[in-house]
Amino acid sequence: MTIYRRQLGGTTYTFDGLVDLLAKATPRRSGDELAGCAAHSDAERAAAQWALADVPLPVFLTEPVVPYETDEVTRLIIDTHDRAAFAPVAHLTVGDLRDRLLAAAARDDAAELTALAPGLTPEMVAAVAKLMRNQDLIAVARAVRVTSAFRTTIGRPGTLATRLQPNHPTDDPRGIAAAVLDGLLLGCGDAVIGINPASDSPRATADLLRLLDDVRLRYDIPTQSCVLAHVTTTLDLIAAGAPVDLVFQSIAGTEGANSGFGVGLSLLREANEAGRSLRRGTVGDNVMYFETGQGSALSAGAHLGVDGKPVDQQTLEARAYAVARELDPLLVNTVVGFIGPEYLYDGKQIVRAGLEDHFCGKLLGLPMGVDVCYTNHAEADSDDMDTLLTLLGAAGAAFVIAVPGADDVMLGYQSLSFHDALYARKVLGLQPAPEFAAWLDRIGLRDAHGRIREVPPLSSPLRALAGSS
């Protein structure tokens, strides 16, 4: 194990291995303080970042932060690493990689960044993120091009898709249908219409799947639906013939945390194959939908790395993206402020984490979105969410989540509203996914300038549905 030292202001700071160095170099957040791995001062943090900048990239291949022998996520990262893609940067340090990424972003060289992705490990990407300002994270992420497709194409430059999240505390079909209609009338739902079910009952999940599929088919909507039940429930429903579009699962960056979710790599691979076997996509066959979040491994007590040292939550979050990348998903999003202030204390920490997660996921080759959100006991508010949404739109996020009135009455947290998505598209000059945009035009929900109409025309089928409800 390498001991890292850096002198700053007459004080020599010592870091006990790569795990300790990564943690101490992380911008301040409450989760790392809770885990006992955060820097004790801004000076120590600056010294750690300085030392981290000088770490050669190959070190991350020989000094895993979580043991190879006991963690299948580490084995996945090491065993699938593309050394040919890594070769152009194998001589660089973490600081050099930052310079190279920013230079590619300045040239808008998407091809270089795409080619580099298979050669980067999550730990390398997490490390370089720790050296970047917010504008650096935005500039590089914006230059990366990642697309995926099922019935709509996600991630094209100049687009911002939305997950329409019509949750209801009792899974009442009428309440869900009303929320779906509300979102559609405001141009949302092109990434997915996705319900978090109030229970994991297979029967209830199947009923919700049929409800969403009926709406989609009745109005010929080019989108995909998902009921965010556990992957094993969805697998059983696929076998029973339910209309499953996307297969959902929460994932994390260690084997232990994924075990806490009741999943492993083999089960996720089985689910991917089962979803694709249905062949329900029209413009692509990406069928997986993953959600992640900084602090998930810590909350499961599965955050310890080499020699039992706690690994910082941002590095563990980036490792979750290795799991996602293995399954070639349609959608990945970090539910950035959902776990609570124990992990991300205030608006400043939530904004920073959202930009980090988006940068890391996109640089690793994922169609990355963010649930721009917070819980009511966090030191955050809707102004912070406005800021993060705007920054993510500038950074080229693939999609965001939107709920009626920005208030999820089932999960009990604050996200974005349908109107917030309209704001971001208008201010930043962004469009829905192309297939969905064409549908909005076809049924008359947009005017000649591409703006959502305040009142649908009489000829719109959704106008008739709105009147009947």
Side-chain angles (χ1 to χ4, degrees):
M1 180 177 64
T2 304
I3 302 299
Y4 299 91
R5 293 183 175 87
R6 180 64 60 179
Q7 189 175 50
L8 186 66
T11 300
T12 299
Y13 295 91
T14 301
F15 307 100
D16 188 18
L18 189 58
V19 171
D20 187 42
L21 181 63
L22 287 166
K24 296 294 195 301
T26 306
R28 184 181 181 184
R29 63 208 53 196
S30 53
D32 293 337
E33 293 171 341
L34 177 65
C37 63
H40 295 95
S41 66
D42 290 339
E44 184 181 28
R45 184 173 295 108
Q49 291 171 340
W50 192 359
L52 181 60
D54 291 335
V55 174
L57 294 179
V59 167
F60 293 92
L61 300 173
T62 58
E63 297 185 24
V65 301
V66 181
Y68 180 93
E69 297 77 14
T70 60
D71 189 275
E72 69 173 357
V73 178
T74 300
R75 293 194 291 275
L76 172 69
I77 292 168
I78 298 301
D79 294 349
T80 62
H81 180 244
D82 189 330
R83 292 187 177 270
F86 180 59
V89 296
H91 61 292
L92 300 182
T93 64
V94 176
D96 294 332
L97 178 61
R98 172 185 177 274
D99 293 343
R100 183 158 183 149
L101 294 174
L102 289 170
R107 298 191 305 271
D108 202 24
D109 193 341
E112 177 181 347
L113 296 170
T114 299
L116 185 58
L120 297 177
T121 69
E123 292 86 352
M124 294 176 192
V125 172
V128 76
K130 298 175 194 296
L131 305 184
M132 289 182 154
R133 297 170 57 185
N134 286 358
Q135 71 168 254
D136 298 339
L137 299 172
I138 293 167
V140 175
R142 182 179 180 84
V144 179
R145 304 284 188 267
V146 181
T147 60
S148 59
F150 189 75
R151 292 193 190 96
T152 57
T153 305
I154 306 301
R156 283 190 179 178
T159 66
L160 176 65
T162 54
R163 170 185 162 189
L164 197 171
Q165 183 168 297
N167 295 344
H168 192 278
T170 64
D171 289 338
D172 184 335
R174 294 169 300 175
I176 289 172
V180 170
L181 174 62
D182 188 20
L184 291 172
L185 288 171
L186 290 168
C188 290
D190 46 338
V192 63
I193 303 175
I195 303 171
N196 295 88
S199 76
D200 205 33
S201 157
R203 179 176 178 178
T205 300
D207 288 344
L208 293 175
L209 284 168
R210 285 190 287 268
L211 168 65
L212 294 182
D213 202 50
D214 179 63
V215 171
R216 180 186 67 81
L217 291 171
R218 184 180 303 182
Y219 300 103
D220 193 25
I221 308 170
T223 190
Q224 35 282 331
S225 64
C226 184
V227 177
L228 281 66
H230 191 269
V231 64
T232 53
T233 301
T234 305
L235 274 171
D236 289 343
L237 290 173
I238 289 174
V244 173
D245 287 344
L246 303 187
V247 181
F248 168 80
Q249 183 56 47
S250 294
I251 57 173
T254 67
E255 181 177 343
N258 284 323
S259 295
F261 287 137
V263 299
L265 292 175
S266 61
L267 177 60
L268 294 175
R269 291 184 180 113
E270 177 187 352
N272 191 29
E273 292 175 4
R276 286 185 167 177
S277 72
L278 300 178
R279 301 184 184 278
R280 290 173 59 85
T282 56
V283 296
D285 65 350
N286 302 114
V287 299
M288 300 301 289
Y289 175 20
F290 295 120
E291 284 190 343
T292 66
Q294 287 195 28
S296 58
L298 174 58
S299 66
H303 62 294
L304 301 181
V306 173
D307 296 329
K309 294 186 177 68
V311 182
D312 70 273
Q313 64 185 39
Q314 188 251 333
T315 298
L316 291 178
E317 171 70 7
R319 284 169 52 92
Y321 304 149
V323 177
R325 183 166 65 172
E326 172 71 3
L327 282 303
D328 199 20
L330 177 75
L331 306 169
V332 181
N333 74 265
T334 168
V335 192
V336 66
F338 180 75
I339 302 181
E342 300 87 353
Y343 307 95
L344 295 169
Y345 177 73
D346 57 15
K348 181 179 178 65
Q349 292 187 14
I350 292 171
V351 167
R352 173 69 191 190
L355 293 176
E356 288 171 346
D357 296 349
H358 176 255
F359 162 85
C360 289
K362 201 171 180 188
L363 188 57
L364 288 168
L366 293 173
M368 198 70 196
V370 177
D371 188 352
V372 179
C373 64
Y374 64 101
T375 56
N376 286 320
H377 60 310
E379 290 295 321
D381 59 26
S382 58
D383 287 340
D384 298 312
M385 300 306 104
D386 289 346
T387 298
L388 180 53
L389 169 61
T390 306
L391 295 175
L392 288 167
F399 71 103
V400 293
I401 290 179
V403 307
D407 184 7
D408 191 303
V409 296
M410 193 277 278
L411 293 175
Y413 79 119
Q414 307 303 306
S415 186
L416 299 176
S417 73
F418 304 134
H419 294 85
D420 292 332
L422 289 182
Y423 147 79
R425 286 172 175 165
K426 172 65 175 175
V427 169
L428 299 170
L430 302 172
Q431 296 291 320
E435 300 86 355
F436 193 80
W439 176 77
L440 291 173
D441 293 337
R442 187 167 68 250
I443 67 169
L445 286 186
R446 297 204 305 176
D447 63 20
H449 303 285
R451 296 173 301 209
I452 296 295
R453 298 180 188 273
E454 292 185 21
V455 179
L458 292 174
S459 60
S460 171
L462 293 183
R463 171 74 174 259
L465 178 62
S468 66
S469 60

